[in-house]
Amino acid sequence: MQKKNLAICLLLFSFLLTTAAIAHTTLCSCYDNGDGTITCEGGFSDGSSAAGVEIRVVNKNKKVIIKGKMSEDSEFTFDKPKGSYQVELDAGPGHLVEVDGKNIFE
Amino acid sequence: MIKKKKILVALAGQPNCGKSTVFNALTGASQHVANYPGVTVEKMTGSYRDHGRKIEVVDLPGTYSLTSYSLEERVSRDFLIQENSSVVINVVDASNLKRNLYLTFQLLEMEMPLVLDLNMMDVAERRNIHIDVKELSKQLGIPVIPTAIKTGRGKKKLIKAVTAASGFGLHSGLHLEQPFKLILVDYGPMEPFLERIQVKLSKEIELDKNYPLRWLSVKLMEGDSEAQNLISKNCPEPDEILKFVEKQRDTFEAKYDEAPDRYVAFRRYQRAETIIKSCVRTTTASSTTLSDKADKLICNRYLGPLILIGIIYLLYYLSIVQGYNITNYTWPILAKIRSLTESILPNPGFIEEPLIRSLSLWFVDSINALLNYIPIFFILFALIAILEDSGYMPRMAFILDRLFQRFGLHGQSTLAMVLGGIYLGGCAVPGVMATKAIPDERSRLATILIIPLLNCLAKVPLYVLLINIYFSEHKGVAMFFIATISLLIALPAAKILTLTLLRNKETAPFIMELPPYHIPTIQGVLGRAVERVWLFIKKIITIVAVIAVLIFVLLQFPGLNLERQAHYTKEKEQEISKFYNRITETQYAEQLRGENLMALILYWDKYKNARMMATNQKLVKKLKEKFEKENPLFFKIVQPKKDKDAKKTNKAFRKLFKARKKILRELRKEKIDNSFLGRLGRDMEPFTKWAGFNWRINVSLLSAFAAKESSVATLGVLYQQEEEGENLEKRMKKGEADFTSLHALALMLFMVLYPPCIATTIMVKLQTGSFKWMFFSMIYPITLGLIAASLIFTGGKALGLNGLQAMAAFYALALLTTIATGFINNKEII
Amino acid sequence: MTLNNIKPGSECFIKKLTSSGRLGQRLVDMGVYPGLRLKVIRNAPLEDPMEIELDGHYLTLRHEEAKFVEVQE
């Protein structure tokens, strides 16, 4: 590839890369499916999917009882734990969302 | 005699004399920020009314003097000489009168109506400094108004004095001789030289008409370069005059053994000292001030850095952590805007989406993403304003200057770099904004150019994904690597830039004042925060909006060809018939024929989205009631309760819904691959392959960022045909047989280094005033990122290292480079 | 003797400014000129820059800049 083409390509490449990673407020909403399972949907504030992001369920002693990753649909379904629990969607430092079990209903 | 001219008032004064407080007090909410033409110096204008007349005020940059050496001084000078100010208010720090008078004399030489605002009288009184205002006024020949503008004291008198001085004095009520008498500094032995020059200049018509000749003579005698330019531009035979001046200068220096410019300066101070002797009385010996006592701690060898770290941490905590908490409340508002948009757009089909719909939603998403940052930025800007107003910034520079200076940066770069993200994640947008304070052009540019390399908080989820897969056993180490490597690359980069590209940029002496600490005013802080947020919205969000549309086009076209479209249509039909097969025996099969199926899909989607936003039990109940009323049949399927048929339908429907999502995902992915973006990814492969990125990774990178698809998900789909039930990790590990931790590391490093976002790029353009630097700031980090990634990948592969070992090796390399470049000496500035 | 050699806590007064260019002008503009008494307050935690007090106000300058200020104790 000629030098000029390379420069243009590089410029376009960088341009496209810079256009999005701009606001990553992590979002997570959960609801009770009524059949003994809970489904949580996640995402980021710029519309990105949270597929692959780690999600945990901890009990009231902060012990991790369930651990998994958001599916390609950016969802995660798990069996409803007994007692009080909290869901943590963890996309890294500064990107942690916690949802208290008592706020999850049908 | 009332003249109908517009009244223009200029505020001039040295830094830290309370000039901006005066400006705020006079103009209040009517302020407007622009740039002086052609330069990146801010021009603050505002207005107020007095006796029915509108008075425009311009706040000139604070400068200690009016030489030609710095941009701010030149801008101030040009304004004073060229714009016809009716009055100039010289704001002066009463507790520091001698040094402030140095500027006053220069203003007087410009022969414009001058009013001296003797500000900060409260501070002077606290220090037992008594000033004989009448005598001062007599000696200077201009009105002197004592004020303590922070408390409002003296404001009315000041306005009155300004009106009087502008020749509108109807009710001046001030006992002065004529608006003003021209009493200038006597330069003693230099006077004959000045006279000779002035006589020569008076023969030039253009000069005589437009410029105060005495001032010009003094400037020429000082060897001022801008003054020389004026001669060249306005005289038919400039060389003759300049040679004459040169001779005067040489003769003077030879005779009196003193450089003319220094002599002029010393003379001014002598005059100032004389005036002080007769007008100022200090009743007690100066003891250490409160600020000095504070500095004993703040600039202390051991406490100082600790306090600095504490303040930085507090900044981070309040703005990012608490800011994010606030976005939990503001985000629902933005989400609502999005669903509102969705509801007025045409509905999607099973696999089709109307262009207007996808474009509009894309647009709203892009804007929302930026708007979501506003609470964080507001807090951040307010905190920065507090830091600036309190006087802490020079202390920050004092503590860290030595370290930064080694790399071509400046002590004042500290805040900008902290904001950009050192160890903890930051944001490059306020970081680049904060470089405004750096007085030295060369280090300012160096700082602007390396901030994009620092830790952008928004990128964190991207490499955390990779760390969790490829470095899961060494998470802590990997995170530490990521958090610190950017600084180890940014510092040498700054040094190299300083030695090469920025070599010829203007530098400035470091010497700074450490002003007394101030308690910031709420009005000042909030005002500044609002102004900066508004700037963000106005300048950045507007451009991003345009670019979002451009990106959309790049992603959509050329789109899928007919054959592929047919493929997806077939898949759709397969899934739908599967669904009907599953529910044939139920009572609902008939009712969901034809269009009703799509209607149910839309209904379900709407319900789900609304359900996600309902935050308490009461809202959920209301929601359910609403949806049930809207369509009882559909609601039964969504919430089947005990009805066996409904439950079966519900189950089958969920499967259909999921399958639809999958088809849509694959469709979108293929569209992206085929688009201009995809083509670009392929074209880049010859260069990126050294970094271990094949075309698939390129495309997924581009689509992860430009198309906002999550990078891991994208990578996952690109690799293999999906096998039911196999999770992403396994597929990834299988798909690219040697996509090892080395690949991942190269990718991670690239992600750390490439320029963070378009908002930053726009900010760079705003701060540098040049498109050239803007493009450079986009291209060089990518190149750097590719080089670093290539080093890791190709180098690591050649040496047979795994990811962790390559990490250690690269880290050592970066550390050594940083230390090495730190020892190279900068160009001397004298 | 130049200013950069003066230890914190000591006083001295300015004999001469040996920079004829931009730095010299800046020093003068900020109130540093021959005949004045000044006090060296402290050095920064990293040794450089230094802080001085003169005429009731405080300035900070790098040692390489202070080299151009000739002083006498």
Side-chain angles (χ1 to χ4, degrees), chain A residues 1-2 6-33 35 39-42 44-54 56 67 69-75 90-95 97 102-106, chain B residues 324 327 331 365-366 369-370 372-373 457-462 464-465 468 475 479 547 551 554 608 611-612 615-617 620 624 654 658 661 665 677 680 683-684 687 698 701-702 705-706 708 710 712-713 717 722 728-729 731 750 754-758 761 775 778-779 782-783 786:
Chain A
M1 214 199 289
Q2 303 159 320
L6 166 63
I8 296 179
C9 266
L10 205 52
L11 190 59
L12 267 177
F13 199 72
S14 47
F15 174 69
L16 284 174
L17 280 180
T18 61
T19 49
I22 34 189
H24 274 71
T25 300
T26 323
L27 307 163
C28 182
S29 330
C30 306
Y31 56 82
D32 191 328
N33 291 314
D35 59 358
T39 298
C40 289
E41 266 189 29
F44 294 105
S45 56
D46 64 345
S48 302
S49 136
V53 174
E54 182 173 298
R56 300 183 292 268
K67 194 159 148 178
K69 288 200 162 79
M70 300 297 264
S71 72
E72 277 157 348
D73 286 336
S74 206
E75 277 181 10
D90 188 358
H95 292 87
V97 180
K102 69 175 187 273
N103 288 330
I104 302 177
F105 16 75
E106 282 185 48
Chain B
Y324 260 123
T327 58
W331 173 251
D365 277 338
S366 306
L370 285 175
N372 199 38
Y373 259 147
L457 192 61
K459 287 195 216 162
V460 167
L462 307 174
V464 164
L465 283 170
N468 284 343
K475 264 193 216 172
M479 288 305 296
I547 292 184
I551 302 294
L554 281 177
K608 255 180 103 184
R611 181 67 187 74
M612 280 301 175
T615 46
N616 62 40
Q617 207 117 19
V620 173
K624 288 187 176 171
R654 281 176 190 265
K658 199 163 170 201
K661 269 198 179 172
R665 249 204 328 262
L677 184 150
L680 186 63
D683 289 345
M684 289 295 294
F687 301 94
N698 288 346
L701 265 180
L702 289 174
F705 309 140
K708 300 188 196 131
S710 153
V712 175
V717 174
E722 169 167 284
L728 195 52
E729 286 173 49
R731 268 192 290 126
F750 179 75
Y754 85 82
C757 62
I758 201 77
T761 311
F775 287 131
M778 276 175 18
I779 298 186
I782 293 255
T783 320
L786 279 175

Side-chain angles (χ1 to χ4, degrees), chain B residues 496-652:
Chain B
I496 294 175
L497 283 170
T498 307
L499 292 172
T500 54
L501 275 188
L502 302 176
R503 192 176 24 192
N504 296 319
K505 287 289 165 191
E506 211 177 276
T507 61
F510 173 80
I511 178 168
M512 278 193 309
E513 185 175 2
L514 291 175
Y517 288 107
H518 272 143
I519 301 185
T521 60
I522 297 191
Q523 183 208 38
V525 166
L526 285 181
R528 207 96 53 78
V530 167
E531 182 195 303
R532 285 176 181 165
V533 168
W534 178 239
L535 182 89
F536 173 68
I537 296 178
K538 202 169 64 164
K539 293 244 159 111
I540 294 188
I541 296 192
T542 46
I543 298 185
V544 172
V546 170
I547 292 184
V549 176
L550 272 170
I551 302 294
F552 182 79
V553 168
L554 281 177
L555 289 173
Q556 284 288 81
F557 302 103
L560 300 174
N561 60 24
L562 288 170
E563 186 195 322
R564 294 306 297 163
Q565 284 183 32
H567 164 87
Y568 285 107
T569 311
K570 200 169 105 198
E571 280 205 18
K572 149 183 151 188
E573 281 158 11
Q574 279 177 343
E575 289 299 326
I576 293 182
S577 62
K578 267 198 225 164
F579 171 71
Y580 283 131
N581 284 343
R582 291 195 184 111
I583 65 168
T584 35
E585 290 159 12
T586 71
Q587 48 171 290
Y588 300 105
E590 274 311 306
Q591 294 165 309
L592 292 177
R593 288 279 160 197
E595 286 173 1
N596 277 350
L597 184 58
M598 197 58 220
L600 175 59
I601 290 180
L602 292 174
Y603 178 90
W604 180 282
D605 208 25
K606 239 170 69 182
Y607 177 74
K608 255 180 103 184
N609 286 340
R611 181 67 187 74
M612 280 301 175
M613 295 211 286
T615 46
N616 62 40
Q617 207 117 19
K618 208 171 74 178
L619 287 174
V620 173
K621 192 155 165 254
K622 258 173 79 179
L623 183 73
K624 288 187 176 171
E625 284 167 7
K626 176 169 156 228
F627 272 80
E628 179 159 24
K629 212 163 103 183
E630 197 180 302
N631 191 324
L633 169 65
F634 286 172
F635 192 74
K636 202 81 186 286
I637 301 178
V638 171
Q639 298 268 294
K641 300 256 158 54
K642 298 290 180 197
D643 183 332
K644 263 172 85 177
D645 266 6
K647 272 174 125 171
K648 196 166 180 193
T649 313
N650 177 294
K651 247 182 107 180

Side-chain angles (χ1 to χ4, degrees), chain C residues 21-68:
Chain C
R22 183 176 187 168
L23 175 64
Q25 183 69 46
R26 189 79 169 142
L27 284 166
V28 171
D29 289 343
M30 294 192 71
V32 180
Y33 60 90
L36 281 186
R37 270 201 91 72
L38 69 86
K39 180 169 171 196
V40 176
I41 306 286
R42 58 175 65 89
N43 284 323
L46 294 174
E47 281 314 311
D48 199 20
M50 60 191 294
E51 183 184 349
I52 61 175
E53 181 258 313
L54 68 164
D55 274 340
H57 56 266
Y58 297 82
L59 299 176
T60 166
L61 67 163
R62 292 176 179 156
H63 284 195
E64 72 185 12
E65 296 171 337
K67 273 200 201 108
F68 293 94

Side-chain angles (χ1 to χ4, degrees), chain B residues 47 72 114 142 170 207 211 281 300 327 329 341 397-398 414 469 491 503 513 515 546 591 654 759 813:
Chain B
S47 62
E72 266 97 14
L114 197 67
I142 57 176
L170 290 175
L207 288 181
Y211 303 102
R281 229 152 294 280
N300 177 276
T327 58
Y329 298 100
T341 320
F398 179 72
T414 313
I469 299 178
L491 288 176
R503 192 176 24 192
E513 185 175 2
V546 170
Q591 294 165 309
R654 281 176 190 265
L813 184 64

